Amino acid sequence: MGPVRLALLAVVALAAAGEAVYIPYNTSAGVVAGKLNVHVVPHTHDDVGWLKTVDQYYVGSNNSIQGACVQNVLDSLIPALLKDENRKFIYVEQAFFQRWWRNQNDMIKDTVKGLISSGRLELINGGMCMHDEATVHYIDMIDQTTLGHKFIKEEFGQIPRIGWQIDPFGHSAVQAYLLGAEVGFDAFYFFRIDYQDRDTRKETKELEVVWRGSKSFGSSADIFAGIFPKNYEPPPGDFYFEVDDDSPVVQDDPLLFDYNVEERVNDFVAAALAQANITRTNHIMFTMGTDFKYQYAESWFRNMDKLIHYVNKDGRINALYSTPSIYTDAKYAANEQWPLKTNDFFPYADNPNAYWTGYFTSRPALKRYVRMMSGYYLAARQLEFFKGKSKSGPTTDYLGDALALAQHHDAVTGTEKQHVANDYAKRLSIGYTRAQELVSTSLACLTELGSKSHCSSPTTKFSQCLLLNITYCPPSQTDFSKGKSLVVLVYNSLGWKREDVLRVPVFSDSIVVHDSEGREVESQLLPIASASLNIRDKHVKAYLGTSPGAKPKFWLAFPVSVPPLGFNTYFVSSMKKSASVSSKSTIYSSQGSENSNLQVGQGNLKLQYNAAGAFSLYSDSRTLIEANFEQKYKYYIGQDGNGSDPQASGAYIFRPNGTVPIKTDSQVPLTVLRGPIVDEVHQQINSWIYQITRVYKGKDYVETEFIVGPVPTDDGNGKEVAAEIVSNMATNKTFYTDSSGRDFIKRIRDYRSEWKIEVHQPIAGNYYPVNLGIYVEDGNKELSVLVDRSIGGSSIKDGQIELMLHRRLLHDDGRGVAEALNETVCLDNQCEGLIIEGKYYLKIDPQGEGSRWRRTFGQEIYSPLLLAFSEQDGGNWANSHIPKFSAMDPTYSLPDSVALLTLQMEVFFFGLLIYTRLESTRIFQLWQVSTSREYSQTRRLARSLRQAYLQTKSVQPWRRSA
């Protein structure tokens, strides 16, 4: 085409379009009465680890996996906000924001403070991460939220107003009332609820509700909750404005081709009217952003400026830059009546065959590690308080930060890539190492006579045994024959006295135990099972890189009594065999006794096994409870995605393709160990499942230890392994599961109280998260099971409880992680499936009497006794050390219905949980500023606690429809 022809075309184009001029976009609109107001909320959702590690996401490395750089988001956001005083933005994840903040100069910090104080940049939710709500414990939810809110308060003098849990896979009642209303939030916004529930709510305009998450708090903890109609992304109509997005930009320059203002305005108005048709009041919210967006923020704001300007010129609706706080205030001012929501939003499904209930169990080893570190962190902060926090010495800070990251909804959930899971575990390990040093020093300071509160260089050396669960504890491998003795210091982080049984691995069979007053303590030696030793040999070398050394021969079990918020000391030493030594367990095999039943247990509780070696009868002479039931195992075959519906079972999704009962190997007899402290029944269920059932003297519950794995996959099938407790109780489809370790919520199979469910997945669709426990009842008795980590659980048949213990799958479920959930452990260049060791606890009570045990013992599971070991070579420990200590008034112990949540230096928070028979809770709060680190202050703790009163905050009186 020649130059004359080109010139002619240009003249025609200019004549048609008119002359281009500078356009001052008017973005100053506020709420307009009588019009549909569209609140445009710019945001980004930044996972603190998922496909990349948290640090990789921040700096923008490893982009071959995902192009994401949070540093770019925050760097480009500030100048973009400064270009127009009407622009607004919300930011959530403090783990990223704090990384960015500490690298900014004073000028940038002052600018950001101005943006925040003016409301143009709002920090909402405010935790270090957007935590999960299914597999997290409420104490961890509090801790990670506290870390973020503390920073925001100290740096900016503000407290977040809004809960913004837009991506977790289902939502808990505890989040609504404890981490919502009780935190001080005015509203709570989220996205993921069951697709059938969402469709129903759209029809009835009930996507926005008043959520009452707690029966005991009632209306005092109501919170306004908004559920997004589709997702947390921009509305339908292609409104994505990242520089590499495919959506059409708003092109308003008449000198350029593809001028599309009218088209873009029409698309925006159409989306607004569609959303208004399912929303009450004349206010709707458009979430303008999604995962890791605004890496070049100006690209988004430029287009939103134009949309607001031209939409408002069009006049059909009113668009404004907004935040969830502004939106909430507008909703409140509308004086609308809102539907009432109770209970929670579990389970979550996004289509008929995709229930996100597999992640309740995914990565069970990581889940257990997080739970162990959480309980350890609680105890370590107490000891840090007693000693006094040092700026130069070890602290609990790193562990607190690592635990905060681990609560993310793609961390403890087990829904991250393997290298990211490894990163979370690495951070926890580093945090534990630093906290362990602090704990050891603090205990040494507390025990040494003459030590002062600012003790920095104690001479006593304490060590700890993190791998005690796999029979590895180097301190207890002391050679007692040379006159040495093992000092076992037992710390109790709870506010009430505890009686428990300790177990440590030892070599010698000539051992005696004494308490802190020199009295001999009854003890028992139990041979260590080969299954436990096999785990020890493989995993110690795999984790530590060194051989574990000689194998211990016995578990030494002995009872301990520990004061509240304090410690007691025990001594393990050698004794001639002719003297009084630990009792060896008598060993009994069921082989050859086919015609007789076997009974184990001491005291009131007895367990009976039938002639086939199956657990058949539970009897408690104190409560007169007698019940028949069995313990079984089975596995679900994971759907491979090759059917008519390609949905596979994976890290998120539980989609079983058949159930296979696991039959106990009848050729392997039961092994029974009896003694004065504990009776044990060992069962080799099959080649990859081993079970130990324990009944302790004086205890009224059953402890079951399981070792599962490596789960075989040589048949080409992924497997999801579950334990079953089967009784003849008539439970009428009803069971109860805890909500994040707090209130128990009633569940009914194939039923939802607020909408009619169409059942497509009768197993996966009836699974619920279990953090504390699960129970069933029949009007006469309650069967309760408590767990040592978060797992999935259900009652698929009447009288039955099942717990999913392990998952090993061969296919990805298509929800973004792009990896099969196939965890392995590698040693000497050979890898095999992950082995899981864990425990669950079982008890049967008369109807209405189980809540006390579930609450008190559940707290003890979360906060196990902390063990520290030292060595005594002759001499008398009591001459140079304090063998027993309590921070509580010696005449007082908190009742077992009250739990002390947090005790730490400077400003500290005491959370007291009052548990009622109905499983509901109350929180008491006391804020106190500590200016002295003397131990005498901590001894006044009990008196302070008794003076605490409930601090109720004023809440907005949202109008509720019945």
Side-chain angles (χ1 to χ4, degrees):
M1 184 181 295
V4 176
R5 174 74 167 168
L6 282 174
L8 181 61
L9 285 175
V11 170
V12 171
L14 286 172
E19 188 174 343
V21 295
Y22 167 73
I23 303 174
Y25 300 115
N26 182 3
T27 60
S28 62
V31 170
V32 176
K35 275 193 175 183
L36 174 62
N37 291 277
V38 181
H39 293 252
V40 176
V41 177
H43 80 105
T44 180
H45 170 53
D46 299 336
D47 294 295
V48 295
W50 178 37
L51 308 182
K52 305 197 296 188
T53 69
V54 60
D55 288 349
Q56 290 170 349
Y57 271 132
Y58 178 69
V59 301
S61 62
N62 209 357
N63 280 341
S64 61
I65 293 178
Q66 185 181 12
C69 176
V70 176
Q71 190 171 225
N72 285 347
V73 173
L74 294 168
D75 280 345
S76 70
L77 174 63
I78 306 308
L81 288 174
L82 293 175
K83 282 190 175 183
D84 185 333
E85 64 180 8
N86 299 307
R87 291 177 175 180
K88 294 178 174 62
F89 196 83
I90 60 172
Y91 197 77
V92 177
E93 294 83 6
Q94 288 302 301
F96 285 133
F97 189 84
Q98 292 180 26
R99 279 168 166 77
W100 179 81
W101 182 255
R102 63 177 176 249
N103 290 323
Q104 304 309 305
N105 60 38
D106 290 341
M107 184 178 69
I108 295 294
K109 287 184 176 182
D110 288 341
T111 300
V112 172
K113 288 179 179 179
L115 291 171
I116 290 175
S117 65
S118 66
R120 293 159 65 189
L121 173 60
E122 184 173 353
L123 302 178
I124 68 171
N125 218 38
M128 298 297 286
C129 68
M130 189 180 293
H131 58 229
D132 179 49
E133 298 179 37
T135 64
V136 293
H137 195 277
Y138 73 91
I139 294 179
D140 289 325
M141 297 164 85
I142 291 172
D143 285 344
Q144 82 88 18
T145 301
T146 299
L147 282 177
H149 281 214
K150 183 173 182 286
F151 169 82
I152 294 171
K153 179 67 174 176
E154 290 175 348
E155 291 291 335
F156 307 111
Q158 294 191 5
I159 298 174
R161 286 186 56 193
I162 302 296
W164 189 257
Q165 290 284 109
I166 60 175
D167 198 24
F169 326 128
H171 302 280
S172 73
V174 164
Q175 176 68 35
Y177 77 84
L178 183 64
L179 276 300
E182 290 301 301
V183 164
F185 290 156
D186 292 323
F188 172 42
Y189 296 96
F190 52 96
F191 152 55
R192 297 188 189 274
I193 67 171
D194 187 280
Y195 71 100
Q196 294 183 55
D197 189 8
R198 188 187 310 277
D199 290 344
T200 301
R201 291 180 181 278
K202 285 181 178 180
E203 293 175 1
T204 58
K205 293 190 175 183
E206 295 187 4
L207 285 170
E208 292 176 320
V209 299
V210 170
W211 191 354
R212 182 173 297 169
S214 170
K215 290 182 179 179
S216 62
F217 280 101
S219 61
S220 69
D222 285 354
I223 190 167
F224 181 76
I227 306 159
F228 301 148
K230 185 179 180 182
N231 49 39
Y232 54 82
E233 302 186 10
D238 284 337
F239 295 101
Y240 297 81
F241 299 124
E242 202 74 13
V243 289
D244 56 353
D245 279 330
D246 295 330
S247 297
V249 299
V250 183
Q251 208 296 81
D252 63 341
D253 186 343
L255 296 180
L256 306 179
F257 291 162
D258 302 323
Y259 183 89
N260 64 357
V261 170
E262 183 178 2
E263 177 185 344
R264 294 273 66 196
V265 167
N266 287 337
D267 290 341
F268 190 93
V269 171
L273 294 176
Q275 188 165 325
N277 285 334
I278 58 173
T279 308
R280 302 186 187 200
T281 79
N282 63 338
H283 297 275
I284 64 172
M285 183 194 301
F286 277 0
T287 50
M288 298 300 292
T290 184
D291 296 7
F292 300 101
K293 296 300 184 180
Y294 291 79
Q295 295 188 64
Y296 176 49
E298 182 60 26
S299 177
W300 281 84
F301 281 111
R302 180 192 304 124
N303 284 279
M304 289 187 292
D305 287 350
K306 295 177 181 181
L307 282 171
I308 292 172
H309 174 79
Y310 289 114
V311 164
N312 292 342
K313 283 188 68 175
D314 175 82
R316 285 176 285 175
I317 63 174
N318 178 61
L320 66 151
Y321 274 124
S322 187
T323 68
S325 294
I326 296 172
Y327 178 78
T328 301
D329 290 341
K331 286 287 186 178
Y332 179 65
N335 200 28
E336 176 71 27
Q337 219 175 36
W338 302 100
L340 182 65
K341 162 68 182 175
T342 59
N343 294 332
D344 62 8
F345 288 96
F346 287 115
Y348 162 60
D350 60 9
N351 68 55
N353 292 318
Y355 275 90
W356 296 44
T357 55
Y359 82 93
F360 299 160
T361 300
S362 295
R363 301 194 188 279
L366 178 63
K367 284 178 164 63
R368 176 59 181 155
Y369 195 21
V370 171
R371 182 62 54 84
M372 287 174 63
M373 291 298 96
S374 179
Y376 188 84
Y377 179 53
L378 184 149
R381 279 181 292 171
Q382 294 177 1
L383 293 169
E384 186 174 41
F385 172 77
F386 297 147
K387 176 182 177 294
K389 194 166 186 176
S390 170
K391 293 184 178 179
S392 58
T395 70
T396 60
D397 292 349
Y398 195 101
L399 180 57
D401 289 342
L403 274 167
L405 292 178
Q407 309 314 314
H408 171 55
H409 60 268
D410 279 305
V412 67
T413 55
T415 53
E416 65 273 37
K417 283 185 177 290
Q418 184 62 56
H419 80 103
V420 180
N422 295 342
D423 185 71
Y424 289 126
K426 178 180 179 179
R427 292 172 185 275
L428 289 171
S429 178
I430 295 171
Y432 169 75
T433 300
R434 297 183 182 182
Q436 181 186 41
E437 185 179 350
L438 176 279
V439 165
S440 298
T441 303
S442 298
L443 289 174
C445 287
L446 289 172
T447 61
E448 290 183 358
L449 285 172
S451 175
K452 297 182 178 179
S453 60
H454 293 280
C455 165
S456 58
S457 301
T459 58
T460 305
K461 302 300 180 185
F462 282 106
S463 56
Q464 296 158 64
C465 295
L466 180 63
L467 299 181
L468 193 58
N469 66 318
I470 57 172
T471 328
Y472 182 68
C473 184
S476 70
Q477 298 174 190
T478 301
D479 183 358
F480 300 123
S481 64
K482 298 181 180 180
K484 296 180 180 179
S485 60
L486 177 69
V487 179
V488 184
L489 187 146
V490 188
Y491 179 75
N492 172 23
S493 59
L494 297 181
W496 61 75
K497 181 181 178 181
R498 289 179 64 175
E499 312 281 345
D500 210 335
V501 175
L502 296 190
R503 297 163 56 90
V504 294
V506 295
F507 289 88
S508 175
D509 61 355
S510 300
I511 285 178
V512 66
V513 180
H514 291 90
D515 65 14
S516 57
E517 298 180 6
R519 296 174 300 219
E520 185 178 321
V521 177
E522 187 175 43
S523 58
Q524 179 182 344
L525 292 169
L526 301 98
I528 299 176
S530 58
S532 298
L533 292 175
N534 289 339
I535 294 179
R536 177 183 186 270
D537 292 346
K538 294 178 182 178
H539 288 72
V540 169
K541 188 172 183 181
Y543 296 156
L544 302 183
T546 59
S547 174
K551 298 178 181 180
K553 297 179 181 179
F554 305 100
W555 283 109
L556 171 66
F558 59 94
V560 297
S561 177
V562 193
L565 272 184
F567 61 76
N568 204 349
T569 312
Y570 292 83
F571 306 90
V572 180
S573 55
S574 177
M575 187 69 72
K576 294 181 180 179
K577 291 187 177 182
S578 59
S580 175
V581 295
S582 295
S583 300
K584 277 191 176 182
S585 304
T586 56
I587 304 175
Y588 173 81
S589 174
S590 65
Q591 197 168 37
S593 304
E594 297 179 358
N595 297 323
S596 63
N597 290 333
L598 175 66
Q599 183 172 278
V600 298
Q602 307 174 52
N604 298 319
L605 181 59
K606 299 286 192 301
L607 306 181
Q608 185 170 293
Y609 291 78
N610 61 26
F615 186 10
S616 62
L617 183 67
Y618 174 110
S619 62
D620 188 329
S621 59
R622 183 185 65 82
T623 60
L624 303 180
I625 286 289
E626 189 171 279
N628 295 296
F629 71 92
E630 300 177 75
Q631 286 179 310
K632 297 180 177 181
Y633 289 87
K634 64 184 177 185
Y635 67 81
Y636 296 105
I637 299 173
Q639 177 64 253
D640 61 10
N642 288 325
S644 57
D645 183 338
Q647 181 60 64
S649 204
Y652 300 88
I653 309 298
F654 173 31
R655 189 186 179 195
N657 184 25
T659 307
V660 179
I662 297 175
K663 296 181 179 180
T664 303
D665 190 345
S666 59
Q667 302 301 313
V668 181
L670 297 180
T671 300
V672 181
L673 307 178
R674 301 182 188 274
I677 307 299
V678 60
D679 284 359
E680 289 188 351
V681 179
H682 292 238
Q683 294 173 276
Q684 186 74 56
I685 305 300
N686 66 4
S687 61
W688 47 275
I689 300 179
Y690 193 86
Q691 176 178 290
I692 306 172
T693 304
R694 299 187 180 97
V695 181
Y696 291 97
K697 179 181 178 181
K699 301 293 184 181
D700 55 359
Y701 61 85
V702 180
E703 177 183 293
T704 298
E705 179 180 357
F706 55 87
I707 300 173
V708 178
V711 177
T713 57
D714 49 2
D715 59 358
N717 291 322
K719 298 176 178 63
E720 314 189 50
V721 184
E724 286 187 282
I725 295 97
V726 182
S727 75
N728 58 4
M729 296 170 64
T731 54
N732 193 29
K733 296 186 176 182
T734 302
F735 58 104
Y736 300 81
T737 63
D738 71 276
S739 177
S740 302
R742 297 266 285 179
D743 313 59
F744 276 79
I745 296 180
K746 183 178 182 179
R747 315 295 191 184
I748 301 175
R749 281 198 310 278
D750 299 333
Y751 175 78
R752 305 294 187 263
S753 61
E754 294 165 333
W755 48 280
K756 186 176 181 180
I757 183 174
E758 184 177 341
V759 179
H760 298 279
Q761 289 290 323
I763 298 174
N766 286 299
Y767 253 69
Y768 291 86
V770 177
N771 273 278
L772 170 63
I774 179 173
Y775 73 93
V776 293
E777 57 186 17
D778 65 359
N780 295 312
K781 55 185 176 293
E782 300 174 359
L783 167 59
S784 305
V785 181
L786 303 184
V787 296
D788 68 349
R789 74 199 75 191
S790 60
I791 58 176
S794 187
S795 177
I796 300 301
K797 299 177 181 178
D798 277 4
Q800 175 250 27
I801 287 176
E802 69 175 65
L803 306 171
M804 187 177 289
L805 307 179
H806 200 356
R807 309 180 76 221
R808 189 181 184 192
L809 299 165
L810 305 180
H811 301 275
D812 175 59
D813 55 16
R815 293 306 182 277
V817 74
E819 280 184 1
L821 184 68
N822 185 7
E823 295 184 279
T824 60
V825 173
C826 299
L827 180 63
D828 298 331
N829 296 320
Q830 291 187 337
C831 300
E832 62 179 18
L834 179 69
I835 299 174
I836 292 300
E837 182 275 339
K839 296 181 178 70
Y840 64 84
Y841 308 85
L842 180 152
K843 192 174 187 292
I844 304 179
D845 289 285
Q847 180 73 40
E849 296 184 13
S851 61
R852 180 186 181 92
W853 179 74
R854 288 191 290 269
R855 283 302 179 189
T856 55
F857 189 65
Q859 197 69 34
E860 292 179 5
I861 294 172
Y862 173 82
S863 297
L865 294 170
L866 188 155
L867 306 184
F869 301 90
S870 190
E871 188 177 284
Q872 181 178 228
D873 190 358
N876 188 330
W877 182 268
N879 289 340
S880 56
H881 295 81
I882 299 170
K884 195 171 184 178
F885 164 81
S886 175
M888 300 286 282
D889 187 308
T891 64
Y892 184 74
S893 176
L894 293 179
D896 55 13
S897 59
V898 177
L900 175 68
L901 294 189
T902 308
L903 170 61
Q904 62 190 62
M905 209 50 220
E906 295 177 342
V907 177
F908 53 97
F909 165 75
F910 297 112
L912 306 181
L913 306 183
I914 309 300
Y915 308 122
T916 72
R917 177 170 292 184
L918 296 176
E919 308 292 342
S920 54
T921 59
R922 278 291 195 185
I923 292 187
F924 286 76
Q925 299 178 1
L926 170 67
W927 287 92
Q928 178 173 333
V929 178
S930 171
T931 56
S932 170
R933 298 178 179 179
E934 298 297 325
Y935 300 140
S936 59
Q937 183 179 28
T938 66
R939 292 187 180 277
R940 293 195 295 272
L941 173 61
R943 290 191 292 274
S944 298
L945 295 177
R946 280 179 278 183
Q947 299 298 318
Y949 292 95
L950 178 65
Q951 295 180 345
T952 58
K953 73 178 190 69
S954 60
V955 295
Q956 289 183 327
W958 293 94
R959 297 184 64 203
R960 299 174 299 275
S961 59

